[in-house]
Amino acid sequence: MIQQEQARKPRRGLRRVMAAAFAMATLAASGCGLGGDDGAAVTYEDAKASGKIKVGFANEAPWAYLDEKGELTGYAPTVARAVLKKLGIDEVEGVVTDFDGLIDGVRAKNYAFVAAGMFINPKRCESSAFAIPDYQVGSAFMVPEGNPRNINRFEDITRENVRIATLGGAVENGYAESVGVPGELIEPMAKQDDILRAVSNNDVYGSALLDVTAAWLVRNNPDANLEVTPSFQFGDKPDVGTFNFRIGDDEFREDFNRELRALHESGEWLKLVEPFGLTAANEPDPTATTEEYCAA
């Protein structure tokens, strides 16, 4: 069940806009996911009592998004459901939120936690409590077929003086700034579909994205005539992402961590995430910790 937090309807892809909009309209008309006395919980205590919980997500495939039927799916909701089931919580209701508003939303108790595959970094750790690292990933650029301007690293953006789209609030914005890319060459956008449309229409040359995201978009939009550059690691260690909670929700986070760790140790995690383009290469280093990424 889905709750729409903002008036703007989420969009899935160039070929899926109308299907998702129709599904959302159907859900809203039926009253599904609109809360009320029997709505899903926004605290762990209430969720354990009711068996229902709200999660925040940004409608970004393949991480957490609405399918053609308007159902919440993707890597993060799939893993979250497996963990929550072990905690006695069987129903998950999604609340669509712009990516850069997800942490504010969980702090405001619009939902109980964030299931969007958000990276752990020091700035976010100031206002959000992260679970253990759940996956690692590299960066890549989504560019026109043939990559005529040869954009493979953030430094290339400045050399070629091309405009590159990013997701607002995502780490790629900081990467570009850190290597001196002029601000006017970076175009943060609110939605993944805005990025896909801008690159496809040549409004920008390309987009800086996670390699898994870029590969998913290109694979699912073959008529867009785009390709993905080779994956690369920006810093001295891979970026890691996971679920995040309100600061102070220690019991919830610790219980979630216990079951999430068990999924990895059993091999079940890989089976859950493979349909969304993640592989064994995305398994995080088992020695990696949330604390080290928060302090980096």
Side-chain angles (χ1 to χ4, degrees):
M1 293 187 295
I2 309 298
Q3 177 176 344
Q4 178 67 27
E5 186 183 60
Q6 300 182 11
R8 178 171 49 195
K9 292 283 192 288
R11 293 163 294 176
R12 283 246 12 248
L14 291 179
R15 297 175 298 154
R16 297 178 173 88
V17 175
M18 293 307 296
F22 177 78
M24 286 296 295
T26 301
L27 288 171
S30 68
C32 181
L34 298 180
D37 294 338
D38 60 348
V42 297
T43 68
Y44 184 38
E45 181 179 0
D46 288 346
K48 287 189 293 183
S50 68
K52 305 176 183 179
I53 196 167
K54 285 184 182 179
V55 303
F57 73 107
N59 203 28
E60 306 297 344
W63 307 102
Y65 63 98
L66 304 178
D67 64 16
E68 289 84 351
K69 297 180 181 179
E71 297 294 329
L72 177 58
T73 188
Y75 137 78
T78 299
V79 173
R81 286 189 179 102
V83 169
L84 293 168
K85 190 173 181 64
K86 297 290 187 180
L87 301 178
I89 303 169
D90 295 324
E91 294 187 31
V92 176
E93 177 180 315
V95 181
V96 180
T97 306
D98 282 348
F99 187 86
D100 56 0
L102 284 167
I103 289 178
D104 287 341
V106 74
R107 294 175 69 190
K109 293 190 175 181
N110 294 334
Y111 31 84
F113 70 105
V114 175
M118 187 178 290
F119 280 0
I120 307 171
N121 66 38
K123 182 176 181 180
R124 290 172 178 164
C125 291
E126 293 175 1
S127 53
S128 190
F130 284 86
I132 59 172
D134 191 41
Y135 72 89
Q136 65 180 31
V137 73
S139 296
F141 291 90
M142 183 173 67
V143 296
E145 284 185 345
N147 193 11
R149 303 298 289 271
N150 198 29
I151 302 298
N152 293 287
R153 295 291 188 274
F154 286 95
E155 294 86 347
D156 300 336
I157 300 170
T158 304
R159 183 198 68 221
E160 291 296 310
N161 194 38
V162 293
R163 292 166 60 232
I164 296 292
T166 60
L167 185 64
V171 295
E172 288 80 15
N173 298 284
Y175 294 163
E177 182 180 2
S178 70
V179 298
V181 177
E184 62 269 20
L185 296 183
I186 301 298
E187 296 285 336
M189 298 184 179
K191 296 292 183 182
Q192 190 180 73
D193 290 326
D194 295 338
I195 292 175
L196 179 61
R197 186 175 295 104
V199 179
S200 299
N201 293 342
N202 297 314
D203 296 329
V204 295
Y205 174 77
S207 175
L209 296 163
L210 304 185
D211 52 8
V212 172
T213 303
W216 177 277
L217 288 172
V218 170
R219 183 168 61 250
N220 285 278
N221 295 277
D223 52 339
N225 299 316
L226 302 175
E227 68 178 51
V228 182
T229 63
S231 177
F232 64 94
Q233 181 178 305
F234 183 78
D236 58 359
K237 58 184 177 181
D239 288 310
V240 299
T242 191
F243 305 85
N244 43 314
F245 304 79
R246 281 186 291 274
I247 292 175
D249 279 358
D250 296 338
E251 179 187 2
F252 189 11
R253 183 170 49 85
E254 289 168 6
D255 286 354
F256 196 98
N257 278 343
R258 181 186 68 245
E259 300 301 337
L260 182 58
R261 189 176 291 110
L263 284 181
H264 282 275
E265 292 173 349
S266 69
E268 182 65 20
W269 181 87
L270 187 57
K271 296 177 184 178
L272 292 170
V273 303
E274 281 181 328
F276 305 105
L278 283 79
T279 69
N282 299 113
E283 282 269 15
D285 183 337
T287 66
T289 67
T290 303
E291 290 74 19
E292 70 175 285
Y293 276 86
C294 282

